[in-house]
Amino acid sequence: FWLIAKLGSVNFDEIFTAASLAKLSSTDITGITLLLFVGATGKSAQIPLYTWLPDAMAGPTPVSALIHAATMVTAGIYMIARSNALFSLSEFTQTVITIIGLATALLAASIAIQQNDIKKVLAYSTVSQLGFMFLALGTGNYVAAIFHVLTHAFFKALMFLGSGSVIHAMSGEQDIRNMGG
């Protein structure tokens, strides 16, 4: 709504022109980017809104592979990377993104170490990887963040599908303490 009020549009082709960006003050840019980041935080499971992702593990493993690997969780990262012309103009927002991304990566990895459910380990690993993607976005490495989105889609989908195979072979057992060898 802030973009609409200031520029009359939310169309990327109209917003990301030099003339449109010149109409925005630094306060406008910081406010807009922080609000967009809050949306990305919820969609891409960053602190403090990361708990929904591991809780979404109740579904079948192929669904988890789709949700956690490729489609749903990376929408916030794509939005920030796509809007990099705006985000690059706010050093404060980039600092906030960097700090939240790093904190999320470290916290989620620490939580994953203590999990016993094979799918929860992978879910917290996903949250941690998303934190690394936000860390890249915050430091202005948009290409690295998108590259990580692509590689993550492949390796995490394969990990979830592999875990589904293991769960099936173990007759529905998901507790890694009962898996040996």
Side-chain angles (χ1 to χ4, degrees):
F1 289 116
W2 201 333
L3 280 170
I4 292 170
K6 288 291 185 175
L7 302 176
S9 175
V10 289
N11 186 338
F12 284 163
D13 292 335
E14 295 171 22
I15 292 172
F16 300 133
T17 63
S20 291
L21 292 175
K23 294 178 186 177
L24 298 173
S25 69
S26 63
T27 303
D28 291 333
I29 292 170
T30 300
I32 290 166
T33 55
L34 282 174
L35 290 171
L36 288 172
F37 173 62
V38 169
T41 298
K43 191 67 171 170
S44 295
Q46 297 297 290
I47 289 175
L49 305 173
Y50 68 94
T51 56
W52 71 267
L53 189 62
D55 292 340
M57 298 279 61
T61 305
V63 174
S64 298
L66 178 64
I67 289 173
H68 293 166
T71 57
M72 191 175 204
V73 296
T74 55
I77 290 143
Y78 176 76
M79 185 265 301
I80 292 176
R82 180 69 174 88
S83 306
N84 72 72
L86 198 57
F87 280 85
S88 295
L89 296 175
S90 177
E91 189 175 320
F92 178 77
T93 303
Q94 286 190 301
T95 302
V96 170
I97 293 171
T98 301
I99 292 167
I100 295 294
L102 181 60
T104 301
L106 295 175
L107 177 68
S110 300
I111 294 171
I113 292 171
Q114 295 298 315
Q115 297 299 308
N116 295 318
D117 183 316
I118 190 169
K119 286 173 68 176
K120 292 265 185 177
V121 171
L122 295 177
Y124 279 108
S125 167
T126 297
V127 175
S128 181
Q129 294 300 310
L130 291 166
F132 286 122
M133 293 175 211
F134 272 92
L135 178 62
L137 292 171
T139 57
N141 293 312
Y142 302 106
V143 173
I146 294 299
F147 180 73
H148 194 166
V149 165
L150 294 173
T151 59
H152 179 262
F154 288 102
F155 77 74
K156 193 61 62 141
L158 292 172
M159 289 174 77
F160 269 108
L161 293 174
S163 73
S165 179
V166 170
I167 292 167
H168 180 71
M170 296 289 296
S171 302
E173 180 65 56
Q174 289 187 212
D175 191 331
I176 61 175
R177 295 173 293 186
N178 298 328
M179 300 175 189

